Amino acid sequence: MKLKSPILFALILLSCQKHQNKATEDANIQGSLLTLATVFKTSDFLKNTAENVILPSYQKLQTETKSFQKACVDFKTNPTTNTLSEIRNQWRIVWQQVKKVEVYKFGPAENVLNGYGQLESYTQKLPISPAEIESAIGSNSIPFGVKKSGWGAVEYLLFSGINGNFSLTQFQTDPNRGTYLCRIGDKMAIVSDFLTNSWKKETTDSFYRLFLSPGNSESPYESQADVVDELMNQSIFLLTSIIDTKLGLPSGLLASSHGVENWNQRENPYAEASLESVRSNLESILFIMQGDLNGNTNKGFSKILESKGSGLGMEIETELQNTIRMIDGLQSNSVYFGLQSSFVNQNKVFRDLFESVRKLRIQFSTGVTSALGTTVGVSSNDGD
């Protein structure tokens, strides 16, 4: 059909353009909605962290603590070289889990009676007191106070002893010693139960709800950003503790130490598990980055950074994995060399390890905080 009227032709053309523009607009809106639906949200990260990182970490601590209780009863009843080996191995397993929850020193962990402070005293700069422990055993007292209780006291009892000399005979001839040991185990079970139950969403007054619902009257956080800041600051605090206290102070590598070694200040002087402690600490941060205890789920903090256009998350994961491998290189076939021995015999690897942790702290305190606008409340004496 031939259109003789220019005006009619223009009206038809305008109508076609409107339909085409409307179709394009609808397609754009649908595409935008699809994009929004697949964006990784902060709420997704927090929910995943609570359910698949924090709670499982506490649950594993709870399970291994109960296994220690059983091993303790067996050892107390029959203190032999075999039962001693079993309970020592179980202590190492539990201790690794204690160090994997050290990064969560907020919320329930701040509870005075049943919080993280009851698990160990080293990070509180309150080393255990062998004299007070021996006095309490002699009077058959209840373990009370972090200097004579907690997993550090268990380490002393199982790997050291009177005048620093361990002897199985001490347990075979003094029933109070085994009783004291198992009483500490029972207290540790109470603490691990409390911490675990505090993160279960079905538990009354669960911290899980407060963690995921910032801004309500009961939550200590005003916004989701505050919760993320908490996790990042705790990671920085832990890295700083590794640099300053766990590695730098004993080895003299801390700038303020001026090269003076002080191996009496290492974290595990009796079981020589100080490197294992650091390894577990680093693993706990890696779990937060990856979003799971068993590998990268693409739901961890690295995904938050990726959503902001930063590739720093994967860089941090790689650095953490490399640092963990350095620690593995300082140990061989499950033989615990100890901090001082590693420093003396594999000095370059030890120094590389120290520098790698320093690099991680810088990545968190500058790179991550820059990407998030996080406020960091920690300082270090490592010379950065």
Side-chain angles (χ1 to χ4, degrees):
M1 180 179 68
K2 185 176 180 181
L3 295 176
K4 297 181 179 180
S5 171
I7 295 177
L8 180 60
F9 176 78
L11 289 173
I12 293 174
L13 181 61
L14 180 60
S15 176
C16 291
Q17 287 177 334
K18 285 183 177 180
H19 283 296
Q20 185 178 14
N21 291 341
K22 181 67 168 60
T24 302
E25 182 180 352
D26 289 344
N28 288 338
I29 291 174
Q30 289 177 356
S32 297
L33 290 174
L34 180 61
T35 301
L36 287 172
T38 57
V39 165
F40 187 67
K41 301 175 184 176
T42 302
S43 58
D44 297 330
F45 163 67
L46 296 179
K47 187 174 187 295
N48 182 76
T49 300
E51 295 180 358
N52 296 319
V53 180
I54 299 177
L55 178 57
S57 296
Y58 279 128
Q59 286 175 324
K60 192 165 185 181
L61 173 62
Q62 182 184 43
T63 298
E64 298 301 347
T65 301
K66 292 185 185 305
S67 295
F68 180 87
Q69 282 183 291
K70 181 182 182 304
C72 195
V73 171
D74 293 343
F75 178 64
K76 176 188 173 184
T77 304
N78 185 28
T80 65
T81 54
N82 287 337
T83 54
L84 174 63
S85 177
E86 290 172 1
I87 194 172
R88 279 179 167 178
N89 288 337
Q90 189 57 34
W91 176 87
R92 289 192 184 278
I93 293 171
V94 175
W95 183 250
Q96 290 171 18
Q97 284 306 125
V98 170
K99 296 291 97 179
K100 287 176 183 176
V101 300
E102 184 179 343
V103 72
Y104 308 120
K105 292 168 74 172
F106 57 88
E110 296 180 296
N111 185 280
V112 175
L113 295 178
N114 294 309
Y116 182 86
Q118 294 295 324
L119 295 176
E120 53 100 350
S121 62
Y122 177 81
T123 56
Q124 303 173 64
K125 295 182 170 56
L126 292 170
I128 59 134
S129 171
E132 292 184 39
I133 291 173
E134 295 299 340
S135 176
I137 291 172
S139 60
N140 198 22
S141 300
I142 302 295
F144 182 77
V146 294
K147 297 183 73 173
K148 50 186 176 181
S149 185
W151 291 111
V154 173
E155 178 192 3
Y156 163 77
L157 289 168
L158 291 177
F159 294 89
S160 183
I162 300 172
N163 297 321
N165 298 310
F166 177 84
S167 171
L168 190 57
T169 306
Q170 295 170 10
F171 284 94
Q172 293 170 334
T173 59
D174 185 0
N176 285 359
R177 203 167 192 82
T179 298
Y180 192 85
L181 178 68
C182 290
R183 282 173 176 169
I184 297 177
D186 292 342
K187 170 60 179 177
M188 296 300 94
I190 292 172
V191 174
S192 66
D193 286 347
F194 169 79
L195 292 170
T196 302
N197 291 334
S198 295
W199 278 94
K200 290 181 178 178
K201 56 185 175 183
E202 65 272 15
T203 304
T204 304
D205 298 327
S206 171
F207 191 77
Y208 171 92
R209 295 184 300 102
L210 306 182
F211 187 78
L212 297 186
S213 304
N216 69 43
S217 58
E218 297 179 1
S219 177
Y221 309 109
E222 294 183 0
S223 66
Q224 290 180 343
D226 289 342
V227 187
V228 175
D229 286 356
E230 177 80 88
L231 289 170
M232 292 304 100
N233 276 320
Q234 291 295 339
S235 297
I236 295 171
F237 293 155
L238 183 54
L239 290 169
T240 300
S241 177
I242 293 172
I243 296 165
D244 288 0
T245 308
K246 302 186 180 194
L247 295 179
L249 180 60
S251 66
L253 293 179
L254 189 66
S256 59
S257 296
H258 304 293
V260 177
E261 299 173 19
N262 190 351
W263 297 108
N264 290 330
Q265 297 296 318
R266 63 196 188 278
E267 186 164 12
N268 299 109
Y270 307 113
E272 295 296 359
S274 299
L275 283 172
E276 279 296 297
S277 297
V278 173
R279 189 187 195 283
S280 295
N281 286 159
L282 295 173
E283 276 192 304
S284 68
I285 298 176
L286 182 61
F287 296 154
I288 295 173
M289 300 300 297
Q290 294 181 332
D292 194 79
L293 305 187
N294 301 305
N296 201 329
T297 61
N298 214 26
K299 293 182 180 180
F301 185 69
S302 293
K303 188 66 176 179
I304 290 287
L305 292 173
E306 181 185 321
S307 70
K308 294 181 177 293
S310 172
L312 183 59
M314 293 307 299
E315 292 180 24
I316 290 175
E317 285 188 33
T318 299
E319 191 67 31
L320 282 165
Q321 291 164 343
N322 289 339
T323 309
I324 290 170
R325 279 193 287 269
M326 288 182 197
I327 295 175
D328 292 340
L330 289 171
Q331 300 179 114
S332 174
N333 299 322
S334 300
V335 175
Y336 292 79
F337 283 115
L339 208 64
Q340 184 176 4
S341 178
S342 296
F343 181 78
V344 172
N345 297 314
Q346 301 184 70
N347 188 266
K348 183 182 184 306
V349 179
F350 191 102
R351 289 176 180 272
D352 288 345
L353 166 64
F354 183 76
E355 292 303 321
S356 184
V357 180
R358 288 182 66 187
K359 179 180 178 180
L360 282 165
R361 198 185 78 90
I362 293 171
Q363 286 176 316
F364 270 95
S365 60
T366 59
V368 171
T369 55
S370 175
L372 299 180
T374 304
T375 301
V376 182
V378 65
S379 61
S380 175
N381 297 314
D382 67 343
D384 288 344

